[in-house]
Amino acid sequence: CFRRAFEMEMEIRIRAISEQLQQVQQTLEKLDQSKSDFIAVAAHELKTPLTLVDGYAAMLRDALSTRNLSPYEIDLLNGIHNGTRRLKTIIDDMIDVSLIDNNLLSLNFQPVWINRILHVLENELQGVIKERQQTLTIQDFPGSGEMTFGDPERLLQVFRNVLTNAIKYTPDGGSISVDGRKLPGFIEVIIKDTGIGIDPEDQLLIFDKFARLGKTDLHSSSKTKFKGGGPGLGLHIAKGIVEAHGGAIWVESPGFDEKTCPGSTFHILLPLMTQPPDEKMARLLAP
Ligand code: ADP
């Protein structure tokens, strides 16, 4: 009889705890949704005035182009241009995050060749690679030349985000290599750098939105001189896009060390579709 009473008491307590946990979960979900809504509204509100500033700055540049500007004045104009461009990228990223988080990302499926995407980026990143005296090697690997289906612009964005990070978090003179392999039904692209690496406990966190604002503040200036300058949205967006294609993205690294630079290896797995997904499949792939 005592045992029965004890069991009943435990059952009541467990039920109460699980109800409380459920409430906490619901509150967290609501908070996350509010955060997403705020990002969407803020991004749209910021975009209009920014477009105006950008337009006026371009007009000012044109109007002054016939005058003999001093280097200081040219620097000021370039400063406005670079600042607005940077802000535009952040706002576009915020809009992408809200699309991903609300399952509204729409993909324009068409034939894609992964090696073409990689070579477009090889050209695009030449300048910064040279400036940083790094080397970027892109291998043709089995499967990289096969036609697959995906959204080329979005996949370009994924590889751009991962490659620019590899450059950003690798010291001058370091190297970045892109290789891969073909698996049954999938292609795996492997992007390896000789950079500062990532602590094991941060390797999942970096795919969260605003990763660098989290409790670990991954690469705050106290932890590294490799300041990213971004708000920490790039990998969250990359993950959303890859998953919307039915793929996966993850990272491996022995750990973070600015002095020894153990490096990081990003893996991007994409399904080798031989034809565009039909409506049912597309719905299943939606993040
Ligand atoms: P951002 O670069 O704007 O901070 P990301 O979402 O692209 O945002 O990356 C999140 C965090 O992951 C970065 O702040 C950095 O700490 C870490 N990270 C990403 N790529 C690398 C890399 N190749 N090597 C080391 N750390 C990286």
Side-chain angles (χ1 to χ4, degrees):
C1 169
F2 173 74
R3 196 175 153 177
R4 181 77 199 119
F6 176 75
E7 278 173 3
M8 275 171 68
E9 172 74 20
M10 286 310 282
E11 224 179 279
I12 291 167
R13 282 195 190 182
I14 289 171
R15 210 173 300 144
I17 291 173
S18 93
E19 271 167 21
Q20 277 171 0
L21 279 177
Q22 241 173 354
Q23 275 169 8
V24 171
Q25 174 77 17
Q26 280 168 1
T27 313
L28 284 177
E29 276 166 15
K30 270 193 210 149
L31 276 175
D32 204 45
Q33 185 58 43
S34 313
K35 202 161 134 189
S36 261
D37 293 348
F38 171 75
I39 294 172
V41 173
H44 281 107
E45 288 300 320
L46 290 171
K47 193 146 187 170
T48 317
L50 179 67
T51 311
L52 279 176
V53 173
D54 202 24
Y56 287 138
M59 281 159 71
L60 184 65
R61 230 184 10 248
D62 287 349
L64 294 175
S65 64
T66 50
R67 300 208 200 149
N68 224 348
L69 296 182
S70 69
Y72 175 65
E73 286 165 333
I74 294 174
D75 272 358
L76 290 182
L77 285 176
N78 286 341
I80 298 176
H81 180 63
N82 292 340
T84 46
R85 214 183 40 186
R86 180 89 200 99
L87 264 176
K88 196 174 166 298
T89 313
I90 295 176
I91 292 173
D92 286 342
D93 279 357
M94 284 163 74
I95 293 173
D96 284 347
V97 165
S98 76
L99 290 177
I100 288 166
D101 290 357
N102 291 302
N103 291 344
L104 293 173
L105 187 73
S106 63
L107 295 177
N108 179 13
F109 276 98
Q110 52 187 279
V112 175
W113 287 265
I114 296 296
N115 59 359
R116 286 199 193 166
I117 289 185
L118 293 172
H119 288 298
V120 165
L121 288 170
E122 190 177 24
N123 283 333
E124 190 182 301
L125 298 170
Q126 274 298 310
V128 58
I129 286 283
K130 218 168 156 193
E131 196 182 300
R132 303 281 311 270
Q133 294 164 323
Q134 294 172 332
T135 50
L136 170 64
T137 321
I138 298 185
Q139 308 276 1
D140 275 330
F141 55 90
S144 66
E146 279 180 35
M147 186 186 84
T148 167
F149 276 88
D151 185 322
E153 281 304 315
R154 289 299 188 180
L155 290 175
L156 195 71
Q157 192 179 357
V158 168
F159 288 106
R160 183 184 286 122
N161 286 354
V162 175
L163 278 171
T164 48
N165 276 345
I167 294 170
K168 198 156 73 175
Y169 298 109
T170 294
D172 291 356
S175 59
I176 294 122
S177 68
V178 183
D179 203 347
R181 57 186 179 148
K182 192 175 167 185
L183 301 166
F186 285 91
I187 181 174
E188 185 181 347
V189 185
I190 303 167
I191 299 168
K192 208 173 156 69
D193 65 50
T194 56
I196 55 179
I198 304 166
D199 272 339
E201 71 258 31
D202 290 338
Q203 288 172 18
L204 280 178
L205 260 184
I206 58 168
F207 296 97
D208 286 352
K209 57 179 172 256
F210 302 117
R212 47 186 301 127
L213 303 181
K215 67 175 165 40
T216 47
D217 195 2
L218 299 174
H219 285 157
S220 68
S221 46
S222 62
K223 203 171 175 186
T224 179
K225 64 180 161 52
F226 294 85
K227 285 181 220 143
L233 299 177
L235 288 179
H236 183 69
I237 295 170
K239 183 169 184 271
I241 296 173
V242 167
E243 288 178 354
H245 280 81
I249 178 170
W250 69 97
V251 66
E252 282 170 337
S253 169
F256 169 88
D257 194 327
E258 257 187 282
K259 290 203 182 80
T260 60
C261 281
S264 308
T265 306
F266 280 80
H267 299 254
I268 299 172
L269 191 73
L270 288 166
L272 266 176
M273 283 181 279
T274 49
Q275 53 184 27
D278 59 25
E279 224 174 273
K280 199 167 138 220
M281 177 71 168
R283 239 179 292 126
L284 278 175
L285 288 180

